[in-house]
Amino acid sequence: MPYTYRAKPVAMRPMSEMNITPLIDVLLVLLIMFIMVIPIATHALLVPLPNGPGDFETRAINTVRIDYADRLYWNGNELDRQQLLNQLADAAAMAEQPVIRFEPDALASYDRSAKTITLIKDSGVEKFAFVGNERYRAFGAE
């Protein structure tokens, strides 16, 4: 008797496709874990911006000074950080930019001096000079 092939019914055939349901389950669990682990951005970056015109006259040569008590001065006039930013924005916007001279006192804090230099740099002023450094050539000299 010759062999005859009979096709199996569809329900009895072995499954040849890959079952991806467990893969999707694992990926969803990983996604939820990553969402829970990533910290929420709670910090803010405060960028100082000028909020008006400068209060004092801008000359061809201007001096930004810091005294021993960390007070800021623009050509001898005391001001705060925001007022200095406004003055610097006015100076940077001029067609012929004036020279900004930075003159910290020997007892001025390094932090205040560094922040003031950064403020001057970020304001867009191109003509910048340090003044009075020759007084402090000998480290520790009074």
Side-chain angles (χ1 to χ4, degrees):
M1 170 164 235
Y3 178 75
T4 57
Y5 174 75
R6 282 195 262 165
K8 293 183 182 178
V10 175
M12 298 182 73
R13 288 186 186 161
M15 192 170 147
S16 62
E17 299 92 30
M18 180 185 237
N19 186 5
I20 61 168
T21 303
L23 176 67
I24 293 173
D25 291 343
V26 168
L27 289 176
L28 286 174
V29 168
L30 285 174
L31 180 65
I32 291 170
M33 294 301 293
F34 282 132
I35 289 172
M36 292 175 67
V37 170
I38 295 174
I40 297 172
T42 57
H43 65 280
L45 178 62
L46 301 175
V47 178
L49 296 172
N51 61 4
D55 297 332
F56 306 109
E57 176 189 5
T58 302
R59 304 177 192 152
I61 298 175
N62 301 284
T63 302
V64 175
R65 192 170 67 79
I66 302 176
D67 68 359
Y68 64 91
D70 288 344
R71 292 181 295 228
L72 289 169
Y73 294 90
W74 175 270
N75 294 331
N77 300 309
E78 186 174 357
L79 42 63
D80 62 10
R81 183 176 165 87
Q82 184 62 49
Q83 290 173 317
L84 176 61
L85 181 62
N86 293 341
Q87 286 294 138
L88 292 169
D90 283 353
M94 296 175 78
E96 179 63 34
Q97 284 195 7
V99 175
I100 306 298
R101 299 170 35 159
F102 181 64
E103 188 175 350
D105 188 82
L107 299 176
S109 73
Y110 178 79
D111 181 57
R112 181 65 164 208
S113 298
K115 286 180 179 176
T116 304
I117 292 170
T118 302
L119 189 68
I120 293 169
K121 176 185 165 283
D122 292 343
S123 70
V125 172
E126 295 176 357
K127 296 179 179 178
F128 178 69
F130 288 95
V131 178
N133 291 343
E134 67 278 354
R135 294 179 287 183
Y136 313 118
R137 283 188 188 174
F139 183 73
E142 296 295 322

